[in-house]
Amino acid sequence: MNDDLATVQRHTVRTLVVVQAVGAVGITIGIATASLLARDLSGSESQAGFAQTAQVLGTAFAAYLLARLMSHRGRRIGLVTGYLLGAAGAVLAVLAGVVGSMALLLVGALLLGSTSAANNSARYAATDLAEDAHKGRALSTVVWATTIGAVVGPNLTGPAGALADVLGIPELTGPFALGAIGMVVAAVVVGVQLRPDPLLLAREVAGVEETPPTGTAWARAIAAGRERPVLFFATLGMACAHAAMVGIMIMTPLHMEHGHAELEVIGLVISLHVLGMFAFAPVVGILADRYGRPATLVSGAVLLLAAMVLCARSPEGSSWQIFVGLFLLGLGWSFATVSASTLIAQHAPLDARTDVQGATDLVMGLTAAAAGGLAGLVVDAWGYPELAVCAVGLVALVAIAGFGARATTRLAVTGRVSP
């Protein structure tokens, strides 16, 4: 990488670090209260996970749509759009609590997913100008930045409740009000600072012509996967790890509340979980670059399995099993997501890069949305420990994906399949 590109890459990563830190507050501050608000508005514990499920579903579709926008207009426009749509969703969530409308909460949650989609796209933006040998480190640095806002976010549930009292809105909507502010700030930062656009510059440097793409974005993503099978395995691993994490995470506040855990303690557990998700990402990125992305993906499956065992054995309320289990759940997700995302960033062809990344995040979101919707039904019918046992099947698929990615990348080296 020449000096000019290296300078742009450093500026890009610094900008994305700030954006992730601020935007993460908007995403995570409502995690500890969303299921509780949905339960209160719907009057049913079986529907408690629907708000988070709607957000995950919104993330899936927004990822696909934002990827198409980025393909034509670049990363900056796509990210700004995602954060502003998320802010609008947070405002609707507040309004839903005020008027007592579950339907309005679900619409707001769908739009909130746009912010998650934007944050996911930001990790790919960090790799547009990075060298292959350092893509894992660049991607994981941006993922790590989420720690700043994500750990702070859930712990703002107390102050957010005080803000709700001042504004005269329900206590559980306070976190969404604060989150909306964080999303707007993130949109402003990326709109002003992400120049030049890393994706557009990468295309210019590579000599990729700005010609209208043929076929649909989904068809181009499928074609890339057929040419490079490692992309399919990376998508499988990332989708199943995300689904397992979402299913357990969104039901944890309810499991703890059944044992009379206070809201602040629930927020602390979620903070520890988010710490595992993001704080060690740079270490994971270095391991992925040094020892191989497939091996790191398999390691993520092992950590997720340990998390499921602890969650299955955790009693209602606050316990050491739920604290450690949620931390390992986040850490296993980090290993799986960083390694799988880096595989996609490395192997997706430049002319179809956003198509592949958008399709991958769409699959990841739909899988997680299904898991989130089923999680509430499983807990309502059988219980939280049984949910953790069911999630082991998803963890097994993560391990299979890691071994499959290893096999296909080895075949690529020998020239038997496209790299």
Side-chain angles (χ1 to χ4, degrees):
M1 182 181 293
N2 61 45
D3 292 341
D4 290 340
L5 286 180
T7 299
V8 174
Q9 170 66 2
R10 288 193 294 270
H11 171 73
T12 297
V13 172
R14 285 196 299 267
T15 299
L16 293 174
V17 163
V18 174
V19 170
Q20 289 286 89
V22 177
V25 173
I27 295 174
T28 61
I29 193 171
I31 288 178
T33 58
S35 59
L36 303 179
L37 179 60
R39 181 205 57 192
D40 289 352
L41 293 179
S42 66
S44 171
E45 290 198 349
S46 64
Q47 298 183 41
F50 282 6
Q52 285 290 349
T53 300
Q55 183 173 341
V56 173
L57 193 60
T59 300
F61 288 108
Y64 186 72
L65 295 175
L66 291 180
R68 294 187 62 184
L69 179 60
M70 291 178 190
S71 179
H72 292 89
R73 302 292 299 278
R75 300 287 189 189
R76 185 172 62 88
I77 298 299
L79 292 176
V80 169
T81 301
Y83 288 124
L84 291 181
L85 286 174
V91 172
L92 286 180
V94 173
L95 184 59
V98 172
V99 302
S101 172
M102 180 65 174
L104 192 57
L105 175 63
L106 294 180
V107 174
L110 281 170
L111 289 176
L112 271 169
S114 300
T115 296
S116 298
N119 265 15
N120 290 340
S121 296
R123 76 187 191 274
Y124 289 127
T127 68
D128 286 333
L129 296 171
E131 298 175 350
D132 279 349
H134 302 300
K135 284 187 183 294
R137 184 176 302 178
L139 184 146
S140 62
T141 298
V142 174
V143 172
W144 166 84
T146 310
T147 309
I148 301 171
V151 172
V152 171
N155 283 297
L156 290 177
T157 52
L163 174 63
D165 290 337
V166 172
L167 297 177
I169 58 178
E171 180 183 7
L172 292 177
T173 64
F176 295 103
L178 279 181
I181 297 173
M183 296 175 208
V184 170
V185 172
V188 172
V189 172
V190 75
V192 173
Q193 292 294 321
L194 196 62
R195 302 169 185 269
D197 190 287
L199 177 62
L200 300 182
L201 181 58
R203 288 175 175 173
E204 179 182 340
V205 171
V208 176
E209 298 182 3
E210 292 292 332
T211 56
T214 58
T216 65
W218 185 258
R220 291 191 295 274
I222 294 294
R226 288 174 177 169
E227 181 185 353
R228 308 178 185 202
V230 64
L231 295 174
F232 283 133
F233 285 110
T235 300
L236 175 66
M238 187 158 58
C240 291
H242 193 59
M245 184 275 291
V246 168
I248 296 297
M249 179 193 68
I250 64 176
M251 286 294 105
T252 296
L254 210 60
H255 177 64
M256 295 183 68
E257 193 196 43
H258 284 166
H260 308 292
E262 296 182 353
L263 189 59
E264 288 76 10
V265 177
I266 296 174
L268 182 60
V269 168
I270 296 299
S271 288
L272 192 62
H273 166 67
V274 175
L275 184 72
M277 289 176 68
F278 302 116
F280 301 94
V283 176
V284 177
I286 292 172
L287 292 175
D289 285 342
R290 181 171 299 177
Y291 298 106
R293 288 90 193 222
T296 309
L297 184 54
V298 173
S299 299
V302 174
L303 290 169
L304 288 171
L305 179 61
M308 298 309 164
V309 171
L310 287 171
C311 289
R313 296 178 61 85
S314 66
E316 293 180 344
S318 178
S319 65
W320 72 267
Q321 291 98 326
I322 204 69
F323 272 85
V324 178
L326 263 289
F327 172 76
L328 291 179
L329 182 69
L331 188 61
W333 178 91
S334 181
F335 268 72
T337 301
V338 168
S339 55
S341 298
T342 306
L343 282 169
I344 292 167
Q346 177 186 0
H347 294 283
L350 185 57
D351 58 353
R353 178 171 295 176
T354 58
D355 299 318
V356 172
Q357 292 165 353
T360 296
D361 283 351
L362 172 63
V363 172
M364 178 179 72
L366 290 176
T367 306
L374 291 172
L377 299 177
V378 171
V379 170
D380 188 49
W382 295 296
Y384 183 82
E386 287 75 11
L387 174 65
V389 172
C390 291
V392 172
L394 291 169
V395 175
L397 290 176
V398 175
I400 291 172
F403 288 116
R406 181 183 182 186
T408 51
T409 51
R410 281 186 171 182
L411 289 175
V413 171
T414 63
R416 292 175 60 185
V417 299
S418 300

